Amino acid sequence: MKSAAGLLLAAALCLDAGVCATAQAAVVDEARLLLLNHDSDKALQLLTPHLEKQPKDYEALFLLGLAQTQQHRDKEAMAVYARLIKEQPQWPEPYNNLAALLARSGELLKARALLESAAAREPGYTKLQRNLADIYLLQAQDALSKARGAPGSDLVLEARLQLLSELTGRSVAAAGATPAVATAIPGETRVQPVSLIAPVPVLAQPDPSEWHGLLLDLLRNWRDAQLKQDAARFTALYDARYQPAAKTTHEAWASAESERLAQRKLGGLTIENLQLKIAPQGRAEARFELLALGEDGQTQRTPRRLGFALQEGRWLISSDDGAARH
């Protein structure tokens, strides 16, 4: 089956072919970068008019749901994910995110049914399995809370409740509570918004199966930022601890890059002969040839090597052997 991660990989393969990103892909890339920086306002400003013109750009539609999720506009985001499930049923991510929002609103049975259905279709997508396990824990906590105080309750039940409370982040109901206490009060959020389920697959810790596509996506952003002379976007792709030389600070490097990009106008920039190696410890390396087309029509081919590190759920550039050649 083709997942959203697979779509990212398919889109990013234009790196090897040397095809520049289309306007549609550029919108998706920019919106994704904005969401990684938690700037959902700007992402919505970019995505809304784009989707009015391209209503079937499903990658952009998925990002719209993520932006709405970041802003806790849950009803709107749920409608987006429901539409994606209907029109792109092979994607596991919309199932995951809709279930997360249902759980956040206390609809555990609906969330469980959705996750079980998606997990049966896509057993290799581990986020579904993890979130399904969280739903089971919450339901077990509810069941034990209803049994609390009833005849036959004992210290074993209390110990289990305490353990479930630590696992789910929800407090145990007061001693002697009736079964009704475990039922959500209308309008009450029973699930912790962040600690239980992270409904944003792109921003959460990515699965190893997604790493290849995410790294190709990062390389496209790295290339496009240089073409557009966008220094802020370019330097944001590097680890904050990155420095090209021992005596150069990250801040000094970022300032120099801003000046370099402002002065360097390119007619094209292509990544060719890409070799990408990924280590299971959250490290990766890309070797490729960078073909730069100047405004005068002259081309320059340079071998490059970039190192990557997974930092708090996001791939960043940790080393760049071409920095010294700028």
Side-chain angles (χ1 to χ4, degrees), residues 30-46:
E30 188 173 351
R32 185 180 292 110
L33 186 62
L34 288 168
L35 289 172
L36 284 169
N37 291 313
H38 300 281
D39 194 345
S40 55
D41 287 333
K42 287 186 179 179
L44 285 171
Q45 291 173 10
L46 187 68

Side-chain angles (χ1 to χ4, degrees), residues 236-282:
L237 300 174
Y238 285 74
D239 190 319
R241 294 167 293 183
Y242 169 78
Q243 53 190 70
K247 296 182 179 180
T248 303
T249 65
H250 179 83
E251 291 73 18
W253 165 80
S255 177
E257 286 299 297
S258 297
E259 294 180 7
R260 180 183 71 85
L261 290 175
Q263 297 171 2
R264 187 188 188 196
K265 294 184 179 180
L266 295 170
L269 194 63
T270 305
I271 292 176
E272 296 183 348
N273 302 320
L274 175 65
Q275 295 180 345
L276 185 59
K277 295 181 180 180
I278 306 174
Q281 298 82 9

Side-chain angles (χ1 to χ4, degrees), residues 286-300:
R287 293 174 181 262
F288 54 90
E289 291 183 334
L290 190 65
L291 183 62
L293 175 64
E295 287 190 312
D296 58 359
Q298 298 294 315
T299 60
Q300 180 181 7

